[in-house]
Amino acid sequence: MPLRVHRRSALPAALLAVVVGLAGCSSATSQLEDYTGIEQGNARPAESPQVSDPEGGEVIPAPGSVTSLVATGDRVMAQVDGGSALEIARVEGTRWIPEGSVELPADAGTATAGYDGTVLVPYGDGVVMVTSAGDAREISGLGPVTAAAVTDDGHLLTGTPDGEVVVRDGEGNEQHRVTGLTSVDRITVARDGSVTAFSRPDTVIASIDPDEDGAGPLLRAGKGAGMLDGYGDRTVVASDTVGDTLLIYSTSPIRLHQQFPVADAPWAVAGDATRDVVWVTSTGTNTVQAYDLGDGTGIRRADIATVRQPDSLVVTESGTVVVGSSDGAGIHLMRPTLSGPSS
């Protein structure tokens, strides 16, 4: 099928360490479930308590549910209305200053930030790439895409529903395929250029070498990882939604370094370079916490009540923490002051 490129303008372990190297993921997963009697993988956000009382900052209304938040500098893009639009705003402190919107395909997947600052939105036949200014380029004819990323040398990586990472040039032309996963639900590129992919159905995280035929090493990510985000030069952070822990990995190759308990049903995660902490939302408690990773155990430095169903999270370049509600409760912007170390 030929590629069609369109341009559109926007408006002005035992189980703790059952991070197991997997040669055959499905087999290893089924064996582990037989042993524990606990279903692994397929994490989803927990249904949050009905009552929420956001603490501090400002809560602004959003046009529907917020499914994803992406920051490029101090601009934030909120994916709303079931994923069918990106609302673009400049964030100053806790002020949300609208700048425009981008319409997305009806079957759009989760928006993520690319290595170069571009926002990538996968959908049923390709990828929409959006600049921080709101200019959009659609690459179609790729078949179903479940995740997308841009490498440090400009290659486009796309995920397929059956677990392949497709390496493409900047125009979307296929060059190579990396196999070995069950699904590709997220692809991240660290600042050092290393690529990591995540398969949510069997909670597996893997290193991806675009020049190799197979993914690996492959590690088991907790009991049921939910979301994945980059942190620093060579680190990715994952929420273990089923196991109520936070997982800290180094990349190139992927290796687990820390795992510690957090509040119920963690979901969205985001690195905060201004405070040198990692933030994680708890869909079980309608809160967002900050953890200092410096001593190797994870020390909680903040615990803040936020909007109901806090399924998305991002931190701007200047340090505004932004939480989005997938239940229509809006967007919470805050500038937290961290407390002293608290375990």
Side-chain angles (χ1 to χ4, degrees):
M1 180 182 295
L3 299 177
R4 303 183 297 279
V5 179
H6 310 285
R7 295 187 182 270
R8 303 187 297 193
S9 295
L11 294 174
L15 291 181
L16 194 66
V18 177
V19 178
V20 181
L22 302 176
C25 297
S26 297
S27 175
T29 298
S30 62
Q31 289 175 14
L32 181 62
E33 290 173 3
D34 288 345
Y35 177 74
T36 63
I38 301 172
E39 182 181 356
Q40 309 287 303
N42 287 310
R44 296 291 183 270
E47 183 176 352
S48 294
Q50 290 295 323
V51 176
S52 64
D53 185 15
E55 174 187 345
E58 300 289 338
V59 177
I60 61 124
S65 64
V66 180
T67 59
S68 179
L69 290 167
V70 183
T72 57
D74 283 327
R75 279 191 173 90
V76 173
M77 297 191 190
Q79 190 174 12
V80 298
D81 289 337
S84 62
L86 283 176
E87 298 293 328
I88 306 170
R90 182 164 42 94
V91 172
E92 293 184 357
T94 58
R95 295 176 61 207
W96 178 273
I97 305 169
E99 292 190 333
S101 64
V102 176
E103 183 180 353
L104 298 173
D107 60 350
T110 303
T112 57
Y115 183 90
D116 60 353
T118 301
V119 174
L120 301 104
V121 186
Y123 72 99
D125 193 42
V127 180
V128 180
M129 307 175 73
V130 185
T131 69
S132 61
D135 297 320
R137 181 168 74 107
E138 183 177 331
I139 303 179
S140 61
L142 308 184
V145 177
T146 56
V150 176
T151 65
D152 57 350
D153 60 0
H155 284 85
L156 173 64
L157 305 178
T158 59
T160 70
D162 55 358
E164 294 180 320
V165 175
V166 185
V167 183
R168 305 178 183 275
D169 64 19
E171 296 301 313
N173 298 294
E174 181 176 336
Q175 298 182 330
H176 186 59
R177 290 192 175 227
V178 182
T179 64
L181 293 170
T182 299
S183 173
V184 181
D185 297 280
R186 189 75 180 260
I187 306 171
T188 67
V189 180
R191 291 178 193 167
D192 68 349
S194 55
V195 181
T196 303
F198 169 54
S199 171
R200 187 174 290 123
D202 50 1
T203 192
V204 166
I205 187 171
S207 293
I208 300 294
D209 185 335
D211 296 323
E212 296 292 333
D213 293 332
L218 295 85
L219 304 180
R220 185 61 178 273
K223 296 180 180 178
M227 294 294 282
L228 183 76
D229 195 33
Y231 175 64
D233 292 337
R234 298 180 298 274
T235 304
V236 293
V237 182
S239 58
D240 180 3
T241 308
V242 176
D244 295 335
T245 65
L246 199 61
L247 307 165
I248 315 298
Y249 296 90
S250 61
T251 63
S252 190
I254 196 76
R255 180 179 297 176
L256 180 70
H257 277 271
Q258 299 181 44
Q259 181 174 6
F260 52 88
V262 294
D264 293 349
W267 188 255
V269 291
D272 182 345
T274 63
R275 301 177 183 88
D276 198 20
V277 295
V278 170
W279 293 89
V280 55
T281 65
S282 163
T283 55
T285 63
N286 290 331
T287 57
V288 58
Q289 293 85 33
Y291 289 92
D292 184 334
L293 308 181
D295 72 351
T297 60
I299 301 298
R300 190 176 69 240
R301 299 289 305 281
D303 188 356
I304 303 169
T306 189
V307 290
R308 184 180 187 275
Q309 207 61 58
D311 290 0
S312 54
L313 169 70
V314 76
V315 182
T316 68
E317 187 174 64
S318 64
T320 300
V321 179
V322 187
V323 182
S325 167
S326 67
D327 192 48
I331 298 172
H332 188 190
L333 299 95
M334 62 192 105
R335 303 278 296 187
T337 299
L338 302 184
S339 66
S342 165
S343 59

